[in-house]
Amino acid sequence: MQIIHTKVVIVGAGPSGLLLGQLLSLHGIDNIIVELKSAEYVGQRIRAGILEQGTVDLLRASGVGARMDEIGIPHDGFELAYYGKRFRIDLNKLTGGKNVMCYGQTEVTHDLMEARAEKGLATYYESSNVQINDILSRHPSVSFEHNGTSYRLQCDYVAGCDGFHGVSRQTIPEEKRTEIERVYPFGWLGVLSDTPPVNHELIYAKHERGFALASMRSPTRSRYYIQVPSTDTVDQWSDDAFWEELKKRLPKDCADKLITGPSIEKSIAPLRSFVCEPMQYGRLALVGDAAHIVPPTGAKGLNLAAADVGLLHKLLCKVYVDKEEHQFTRYSELALERVWQTERFSWWLSNMLHDFSGDNTESMEKLLFDRFMNAELSFYLSNETGMKLIAEQYVGLSHVEI
Ligand code: FAD
Ligand code: PHB
């Protein structure tokens, strides 16, 4: 068994783990990342596309903003299409100059992996049997196997950045955590294609047939989504069937000019609202999807993960640079405040934009919900105060100051 000493062990090399590693290293705090999958697999996962202002600022501050600033596309607004009518949310005007950046998670991950490799920082990809030990003691450790060797990383703190299915959250005894969850009865079928985007800004479309989203990755690469029942599988959806259904749900002028082509990726993502309380136990902090999931409607998953990282890194700087050890214990309470605000926005937007009729059985509850959500959406879109509330939340709430 190889025993290695470090300050912080980061479990998971998704965007949370890589960004935390980058920020800690900038402040001279040693860290090692342990990841289940291969570097190639991690680098190719297709997920989020929109970065909030706070995420953009954090990436720049961590020294990996150059490529984002070069090829990312700033978006000053987006559209909500509501049974064919189009409303533009002018983010820039409504928030006093803020915007979002269209830059894929795949690119963020690539930039962070490259920066880590350049610095020669240790990352154990393709590790198995990852276990967190003695987390209530002052000397926790993480053990795993890698390339046929057993390792034990002896550390001060563990950052659980291993996503929804990781081991970190399970390390907190069941009776010490509360998991609050809603699973939606539908998913998003997503298609990536090398075709020009149908519009220069994103369009979130509400339609009787279900929700649709027109997004993009570059001027020549589009990302589209449609709401599908959670029982659907990818093989049930040929490219032609996808494009046909998307055209039905987009506003007519967009559908008429939609350019279609072969999909280069097609997948179904389930929709879930989930929070684990607390987000910290002993010397373990849960970060990003390990602690919470939001439905993707407000483009918040990755951004919320980045906000957790921003906070945890500041607290760990207090611990190591200012020698204020107690600061670590503030993490859960401070993080959860913003987490719940973001969960609420993603849930609210999902409720308003999706079709919940599902199995077509009519009940008074379903009718009421449908009518209330239509009224809610048309109310918010009918006045500037309503649109401002949407805009402020879409560009993202400020990161927590400590
Ligand atoms: P993850 O990206 O899940 O990274 C966790 C890492 O930990 C992974 O590399 C994993 O392999 C590793 N790991 C897991 N278990 C272990 C273990 N036992 N030991 C070591 N390592 C482990 N958000 C949006 O805003 N817009 C979207 O369109 C969008 N689409 C999504 C589609 C899918 C299918 C999913 C799953 C998520 C999507 N999200 C989207 C959410 C967004 O991608 C996540 O919020 C973001 O990836 C969170 O980053 P993370 O680093 O916390 O977790
Ligand atoms: C994406 O481009 O993948 C994307 C954009 C906005 C969302 C969700 C996903 O709300």
Side-chain angles (χ1 to χ4, degrees):
M1 152 120 37
Q2 281 231 31
I3 298 177
I4 302 173
H5 290 262
T6 188
K7 290 194 167 88
V8 181
V9 174
I10 299 172
V11 182
S16 302
L18 288 166
L19 181 57
L20 182 65
Q22 174 73 6
L23 284 162
L24 292 179
S25 304
L26 276 184
H27 291 89
I29 303 170
D30 290 349
N31 60 88
I32 295 179
I33 300 185
V34 182
E35 162 66 47
L36 213 54
K37 305 283 189 189
S38 68
E40 292 69 44
Y41 181 92
V42 169
Q44 278 165 17
R45 271 187 304 225
I46 312 284
R47 287 181 174 178
I50 292 289
L51 307 182
E52 293 174 354
Q53 183 92 54
T55 307
V56 167
D57 293 344
L58 194 61
L59 288 168
R60 284 185 187 136
S62 65
V64 294
R67 214 165 67 96
M68 170 185 72
D69 284 326
E70 193 186 317
I71 61 171
I73 313 170
H75 281 204
D76 288 342
F78 70 93
E79 286 190 33
L80 284 168
Y82 170 50
Y83 297 132
K85 282 181 278 175
R86 295 170 69 171
F87 296 83
R88 180 164 188 269
I89 305 288
D90 187 333
L91 296 172
N92 202 270
K93 187 172 129 222
L94 291 162
T95 64
K98 292 187 195 156
N99 63 6
V100 292
M101 178 77 90
C102 180
Y103 190 63
Q105 180 169 332
T106 321
E107 307 303 330
V108 174
T109 307
H110 169 277
D111 298 344
L112 287 164
M113 285 172 83
E114 197 144 271
R116 194 165 176 90
E118 254 170 41
K119 285 190 184 147
L121 299 171
T123 312
Y124 292 86
Y125 287 102
E126 296 180 81
S127 298
S128 56
N129 239 335
V130 181
Q131 276 176 33
I132 300 171
N133 316 301
D134 306 321
I135 203 63
L136 291 180
S137 82
R138 291 182 64 78
H139 305 289
S141 68
V142 174
S143 51
F144 59 98
E145 272 136 49
H146 173 79
N147 269 347
T149 306
S150 298
Y151 288 82
R152 177 179 285 264
L153 306 180
Q154 211 63 59
C155 57
D156 302 330
Y157 296 98
V158 178
C161 301
D162 50 353
F164 184 65
H165 300 288
V167 288
S168 299
R169 194 174 64 251
Q170 312 304 331
T171 304
I172 307 179
E174 245 174 80
E175 66 281 9
K176 299 283 184 195
R177 63 183 140 98
T178 306
E179 299 190 344
I180 303 159
E181 181 175 47
R182 176 193 207 183
V183 180
Y184 296 77
F186 40 75
W188 280 17
L189 170 63
V191 158
L192 189 70
S193 68
D194 276 329
T195 53
V198 71
N199 191 47
H200 69 291
E201 291 178 344
L202 269 62
I203 303 177
Y204 292 80
K206 175 166 192 166
H207 190 276
E208 300 71 27
R209 298 182 67 89
F211 170 79
L213 169 61
S215 180
M216 67 193 73
R217 289 293 177 272
S218 76
T220 55
R221 184 168 281 188
S222 302
R223 179 71 163 161
Y224 296 106
Y225 296 94
I226 55 172
Q227 171 189 354
V228 295
S230 38
T231 45
D232 277 16
T233 57
V234 173
D235 348 313
Q236 282 171 265
W237 285 92
S238 66
D239 287 359
D240 285 347
F242 176 85
W243 293 121
E244 207 177 301
E245 187 58 36
L246 179 67
K247 279 185 188 172
K248 288 182 184 155
R249 299 185 190 185
L250 289 177
K252 186 168 177 327
D253 51 338
C254 283
D256 289 346
K257 61 177 191 185
L258 180 76
I259 299 176
T260 64
S263 62
I264 51 176
E265 195 264 356
K266 198 192 286 167
S267 53
I268 296 182
L271 262 69
R272 185 191 302 272
S273 297
F274 172 89
V275 179
C276 170
E277 292 177 343
M279 285 171 60
Q280 179 226 327
Y281 181 69
R283 288 185 166 232
L284 168 71
L286 299 179
V287 182
D289 279 17
H292 42 68
I293 299 284
V294 288
T297 322
K300 293 292 171 224
L302 172 60
N303 292 300
L304 192 51
D308 288 353
V309 170
L311 172 63
L312 182 60
H313 135 261
K314 278 189 258 180
L315 292 170
L316 285 170
C317 281
K318 290 263 178 216
V319 170
Y320 285 108
V321 182
D322 303 335
K323 310 281 180 233
E324 295 176 15
E325 199 180 302
H326 68 279
Q327 293 280 359
F328 182 75
T329 58
R330 301 174 66 203
Y331 173 68
S332 181
E333 201 183 329
L334 289 173
L336 278 169
E337 169 72 29
R338 193 179 184 285
V339 164
W340 276 114
Q341 292 299 331
T342 309
E343 288 280 351
R344 191 202 61 77
F345 177 63
S346 305
W347 163 82
W348 178 73
L349 208 56
S350 301
N351 280 348
M352 282 197 303
L353 296 179
H354 288 83
D355 175 47
F356 281 77
S357 58
D359 57 10
N360 287 329
T361 55
E362 295 251 314
S363 73
M364 192 52 72
E365 269 313 304
K366 273 191 187 174
L367 277 177
L368 272 172
F369 184 79
D370 178 66
R371 301 303 191 271
F372 280 150
M373 287 304 112
N374 283 340
E376 180 105 345
L377 185 56
S378 65
F379 174 71
Y380 274 82
L381 294 179
S382 70
N383 66 87
E384 190 162 315
T385 312
M387 294 216 251
K388 196 168 154 52
L389 283 170
I390 295 176
E392 287 289 358
Q393 296 178 87
Y394 194 83
V395 297
L397 305 173
S398 345
H399 284 198
V400 178
E401 289 302 327
I402 58 162

